[in-house]
């Protein structure tokens, strides 16, 4: 699908991979709505790219519906949905004191990363499938965000890996489900990227993590994630696929 002129929704767009994706789509001519729980951050990125910034909790149906309505009024119905919003977690199932990990922590990560992704997808796609078909009968494109942790989860990443593994497992069924409507679905599984959270780590830690990547031996750039997202949109033969973007990294247990 050509990106120029189409309305796009980017969740988690206030920073990191989401902000880079919003910038890239806007650069390529999309009308971008930046969605994030951090409403001020979303508005700041939107102001930079000439888009619309909205506060949105992807886990809350009413919040998503309100955001979709506002975005539609400003930009028209969206053909592009970039699901980048998510949270991290690292907690051993049994602590050093022998106590079990709180169930609430597991539930929270799965709710945001997996259920939240599904929630906004189901609501956005209900509008997308009603649009007039474009070339090859295409109506829209959805790009989800998983992680290499879906495949190489490290110690303490049970919740995070389960949530991202759920996104991986959901990709092909979603693509098959929406094929009849001309909506494609792909997922990017990024490795170690220089996001704001990563940038808070000491430089020595960043360097050590970068050294574990075979090539290029550096942390990924958010712009590279955004370039792949744009490439997926443009290539109509990409559907139902999970793409690792990790420099051939395979995570060690720790």
């Amino acid at each position: 699908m050509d990106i120029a002129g189409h309305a796009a929704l980017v969740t988690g767009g206030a920073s990191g991979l989401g902000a880079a994706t919003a910038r890239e789509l806007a650069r390529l001519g999309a009308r971008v709505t930046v969605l994030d729980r951090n409403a001020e951050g979303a508005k700041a990125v939107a102001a930079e790219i000439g888009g619309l910034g909205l506060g949105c909790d992807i886990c809350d149906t009413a919040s998503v519906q309100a955001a979709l309505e506002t975005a539609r009024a400003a930009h028209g119905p969206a053909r592009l949905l970039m699901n980048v919003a998510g949270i991290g977690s690292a907690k051993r199932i049994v602590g050093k004191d022998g106590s079990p990990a709180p169930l609430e922590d597991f539930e929270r990560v799965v709710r945001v990363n997996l259920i939240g992704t599904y929630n906004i997808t189901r609501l956005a796609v209900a509008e997308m499938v009603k649009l007039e078909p474009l070339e090859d009968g295409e109506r829209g494109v959805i790009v989800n965000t998983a992680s290499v942790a879906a495949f190489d989860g490290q110690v303490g990443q049970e919740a995070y890996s389960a949530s991202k593994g759920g996104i991986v497992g959901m990709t092909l069924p979603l693509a098959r489900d929406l094929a009849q409507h001309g909506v494609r679905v792909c997922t990017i599984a990024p490795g170690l990227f220089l996001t704001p959270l990563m940038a808070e780590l000491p430089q020595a830690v960043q360097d050590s993590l970068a050294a574990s990547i075979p090539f290029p031996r550096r942390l990924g750039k958010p712009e590279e994630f955004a370039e792949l997202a744009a490439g997926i949109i443009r290539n109509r033969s990409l559907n139902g696929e999970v793409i690792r973007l990790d420099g051939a990294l395979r995570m060690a247990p720790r």
Side-chain angles (χ1 to χ4, degrees):
M1 180 185 294
D2 291 333
I3 293 172
H6 294 308
L9 306 167
V10 182
T11 73
S15 63
L17 304 180
T21 302
R23 292 185 184 105
E24 180 67 4
L25 295 186
R27 185 185 71 81
L28 295 171
R31 302 189 299 275
V32 179
T33 298
V34 181
L35 304 174
D36 203 289
R37 288 189 65 181
N38 176 3
E40 292 307 310
K43 291 175 182 177
V45 173
E48 174 192 333
I49 63 176
L52 174 67
L54 299 173
C56 178
D57 180 353
I58 60 173
C59 298
D60 184 271
T61 295
S63 176
V64 173
Q65 289 175 326
L68 292 180
E69 183 177 342
T70 301
R72 183 173 60 252
H75 293 159
R79 289 189 184 270
L80 307 174
L81 172 61
M82 307 287 107
N83 283 315
V84 191
I87 59 175
S89 173
K91 185 164 291 187
R92 289 175 180 262
I93 193 168
V94 178
K96 291 182 178 179
D97 60 356
S99 60
L103 181 60
E104 294 78 12
D105 288 352
F106 189 95
E107 290 176 330
R108 178 178 60 90
V109 174
V110 171
R111 179 164 180 77
V112 172
N113 293 354
L114 180 56
I115 297 176
T117 294
Y118 180 82
N119 189 40
I120 191 168
T121 297
R122 74 183 180 94
L123 296 170
V125 124
E127 298 180 355
M128 203 178 288
V129 298
K130 299 172 185 175
L131 301 178
E132 287 298 313
L134 304 173
E135 188 174 352
D136 284 339
E138 188 171 38
R139 287 186 170 88
V141 182
I142 298 165
V143 178
N144 297 322
T145 305
S147 166
V148 295
F151 311 99
D152 312 327
Q154 295 186 295
V155 168
Q157 284 191 328
E158 287 87 352
Y160 186 68
S161 292
S163 68
K164 295 302 188 177
I167 291 174
V168 168
M170 186 168 63
T171 301
L172 183 57
L174 273 178
R176 288 173 164 172
D177 196 346
L178 295 172
Q180 63 183 314
H181 302 292
V183 175
R184 293 188 290 114
V185 183
C186 284
T187 292
I188 301 173
L192 299 174
F193 272 71
L194 187 56
T195 61
L197 185 62
M198 181 72 74
E200 292 178 3
L201 297 176
Q203 189 60 50
V205 175
Q206 293 184 43
D207 293 342
S208 175
L209 291 171
S212 68
I213 301 172
F215 186 82
R217 197 171 288 268
R218 58 166 173 77
L219 299 175
K221 300 176 182 179
E223 294 79 9
E224 292 169 326
F225 177 95
E227 289 169 4
L228 178 55
I232 291 170
I233 294 169
R234 288 165 155 169
N235 192 326
R236 285 192 296 276
S237 288
L238 272 174
N239 194 17
E241 188 59 74
V242 178
I243 304 170
R244 290 182 67 133
L245 186 65
D246 59 14
L249 171 69
R250 297 298 181 266
M251 300 291 285
R254 292 180 178 80

